[in-house]
Structures are given as C-alpha cells and as structure tokens.
Amino acid sequence: MAINFDALPNDRPFAVIPKGRYLAKVEDAQMKTPKDTSKPDYLNLKYTLTDVSGKKVGTLFDIIAESDKALMQYKLKRFLRATELNFTGSFELTDVKKVVIGKEFVVDVKVDSQEGQQDRSVVDVYTGEIY
C-alpha cells in the first residue's frame, strides 16, 4: 500500500483538550474490572467532544464507579440527569451501559497534570455541574 505523504496529519492526534465545556456524545460504554479485584467493576465511557462552533476536538474517556463516597454518587446522578436516563429504585451500572450509547450532553473538562506523567484531559468534577 502506498503512503500519501501529503495526506499525513500535521497535528499530534492525541492532543490535550483544553479546559472548558463541550458537547459530548457517548461512543462506547463497557463494564471493566479494576486491577485491584477487591474493588467493584466500573463503567468505562468513551465520548467524542465537540466545541461550540461544532468542531470535533477529540476523545475523552470517563469512569463511573459504584461507590459510597458522596462525590462519586453525585457524579453518577449528574450523568444520569444529563443523559436523561430516568432510573428509579435500584439498578446496576451494567443497566446504564445498555442504554447510554449515542446519548449527547454537555461536559466540563479540565487538564489533569501529575508529576512524571503526560497531561491528560478528564471530566472536571469540581467546577460547574460536571455534566
């Protein structure tokens, strides 16, 4: 197969998405088991992000885990409201996985910097309304 040099990208494909608010569309949702098997499975979500002008700015991965911590429970509630999933009573995260593909909502994003690691874009749970 010939490679067209003129068609090769000029920009790095995995650039960090700047802090801000974006339109997100759920492209994939999978239940995963953490490396530490004493912890519960989690919902791993993949979003395509678009800015206010309609330009796609990249992909963002997000995790929603079952937890008794207030911040994680609040994050789950905001996600369910943003995606208009009106669950009542008890449900499992795997139930969310089945109905969330294609849902669109607004998400707050920030850049996470940790020493010794490459900067990455993450859902901002401390600013705005998260979703």
Side-chain angles (χ1 to χ4, degrees):
M1 175 174 112
I3 298 173
N4 181 353
F5 179 78
D6 296 326
L8 296 175
N10 293 318
D11 299 321
R12 183 171 44 156
F14 297 104
V16 175
I17 299 165
K19 179 178 177 65
R21 186 168 275 185
Y22 297 92
L23 177 64
K25 181 176 181 181
V26 179
E27 298 295 337
D28 193 22
Q30 298 179 15
M31 291 302 297
K32 299 232 175 171
T33 301
K35 291 178 183 176
D36 180 353
T37 55
S38 68
K39 295 182 178 180
D41 290 352
Y42 60 89
L43 181 60
N44 191 39
L45 299 157
K46 177 182 174 184
Y47 311 139
T48 298
L49 299 184
T50 307
D51 66 14
V52 293
S53 68
K55 178 184 173 192
K56 290 188 178 181
V57 295
T59 300
L60 181 73
F61 290 90
D62 188 18
I63 290 175
I64 297 181
E66 287 185 32
S67 176
D68 57 357
K69 295 182 180 174
L71 183 60
M72 271 294 139
Q73 290 177 352
Y74 178 70
K75 182 180 178 186
L76 175 58
K77 184 172 187 172
R78 292 294 312 148
F79 180 77
L80 294 174
R81 281 193 177 161
T83 55
E84 298 179 341
L85 295 173
N86 298 315
F87 288 106
T88 57
S90 296
F91 64 93
E92 301 286 332
L93 275 179
T94 192
D95 296 332
V96 175
K97 175 191 81 139
K98 297 172 188 174
V99 295
V100 75
I101 303 294
K103 294 285 189 177
E104 294 183 336
F105 54 95
V106 174
V107 63
D108 293 319
V109 174
K110 72 173 187 170
V111 177
D112 185 33
S113 300
Q114 294 184 13
E115 190 175 326
Q117 295 183 5
Q118 184 176 359
D119 287 356
R120 63 187 183 114
S121 302
V122 296
V123 172
D124 187 352
V125 296
Y126 296 107
T127 304
E129 297 180 347
I130 308 174
Y131 306 104

